[in-house]
Amino acid sequence: MRIVTWNVNSLKARMPRVEAWLEETAPDVVLLQETKLADGAFPALAFEALGYTTAHHGQGQWNGVAILSRVGIDNVVANFDDGEPADAEARIISGTCAGLRVTSVYVPNGRSVGHDHYYYKLGWLGRLRAHLDRSTTPDQPALVGGDFNIAPEDRDVWSIAAFADSTHVTQPERDALDHVCDFGLVDLMRQQYPDPPIYSYWDYRAGDFHQGRGMRIDLLLGTAPVSAALRWGLVDRNSRRGTQPSDHAPVLVDLEPSW
């Protein structure tokens, strides 16, 4: 079972690349972020032609998350399931695919430390933990994937000094991410690659990709049954090359499910 998370940074702009990548890579479940489409504009028929059932939660030119599945999608929940009023922004969608509960997330950027959006980000992560507590249990197969806009450790950025006093690396953000993971989630790419630097995002500016100035902010987090099923993982750097790529690369894992 191949699972992918990918911030496409505008599905309308990236659709030919996404279609070609899906045909070449044949993932079973794809978690997309930053589709930047309203639900009515989401290209469900194009994905259906490739064999994917889809669920999308969008709001137009900003945000937007989706699940694509070749193994079906049941029990779709758009937005949080935490008993609170719906979030105003389209940043989370969940569904069950062949017994695996998946959640695609686009965590707020935070903008700058101390900004209202920074505190929104911290609160949003608290809601994500509440969502998990309400909707599943750590002993069930569940996976949360997406653009977390947080580098979990200093080694997950090309230069921690370059990010001094910036979002994505502050201790409150990392503490909020740790609180989500304390639900019982394992960082699958770190399970596969415990030591080396791994990057999934490179800014468009200043040739960051070619200079190796990246960050690891796109994560796949799984409960114990998912962690036990992990067989392989990869960041597809080739998808960051070429004409008009997203600034994020797909992150994929192969599982051998026992559920």
Side-chain angles (χ1 to χ4, degrees), residues 72 74 136 163 172 202:
D74 300 310
T136 188
F163 289 87
W202 300 261

Side-chain angles (χ1 to χ4, degrees), residues 133-216:
D133 287 335
R134 185 181 175 98
S135 60
T136 188
T137 60
D139 60 348
Q140 295 178 322
L143 182 147
V144 182
D147 177 0
F148 280 78
N149 272 312
I150 299 170
E153 302 176 77
D154 287 357
R155 61 178 171 159
D156 293 316
V157 297
W158 69 275
S159 167
I160 193 62
F163 289 87
D165 302 319
S166 298
T167 59
H168 294 60
V169 300
T170 67
Q171 198 58 50
E173 291 168 285
R174 288 176 171 174
D175 289 346
L177 177 59
D178 286 345
H179 182 57
V180 172
C181 292
D182 286 345
F183 170 79
L185 298 174
V186 174
D187 185 335
L188 299 179
M189 287 301 291
R190 275 298 170 212
Q191 178 180 331
Q192 180 71 21
Y193 303 104
D195 298 321
I198 309 167
Y199 304 142
S200 63
Y201 165 86
W202 300 261
D203 198 295
Y204 289 125
R205 296 170 292 185
D208 276 6
F209 178 71
H210 300 288
Q211 297 296 323
R213 296 191 289 260
M215 307 176 67
R216 188 172 77 96

Side-chain angles (χ1 to χ4, degrees), residues 31-33 65-67 91-94 102-106 145-146:
L31 311 178
L32 297 180
Q33 301 88 42
V65 285
I67 301 169
R91 293 184 174 274
I92 180 171
I93 189 169
S94 303
V102 298
T103 301
S104 178
V105 301
Y106 178 40

Side-chain angles (χ1 to χ4, degrees), residues 21-100:
W21 191 87
L22 292 177
E23 290 185 300
E24 178 182 356
T25 311
D28 297 291
V29 179
V30 183
L31 311 178
L32 297 180
Q33 301 88 42
E34 224 176 341
T35 62
K36 297 183 179 179
L37 293 173
D39 288 338
F42 186 76
L45 291 178
F47 288 125
E48 185 177 323
L50 296 173
Y52 290 93
T53 303
T54 63
H56 181 252
H57 177 40
Q59 65 178 87
Q61 62 180 330
W62 308 109
N63 308 318
V65 285
I67 301 169
L68 319 179
S69 174
R70 299 198 304 172
V71 294
I73 308 176
D74 300 310
N75 303 315
V76 173
V77 175
N79 220 298
F80 287 110
D81 178 15
D82 62 351
E84 299 296 327
D87 185 40
E89 299 187 358
R91 293 184 174 274
I92 180 171
I93 189 169
S94 303
T96 301
C97 304
L100 175 66

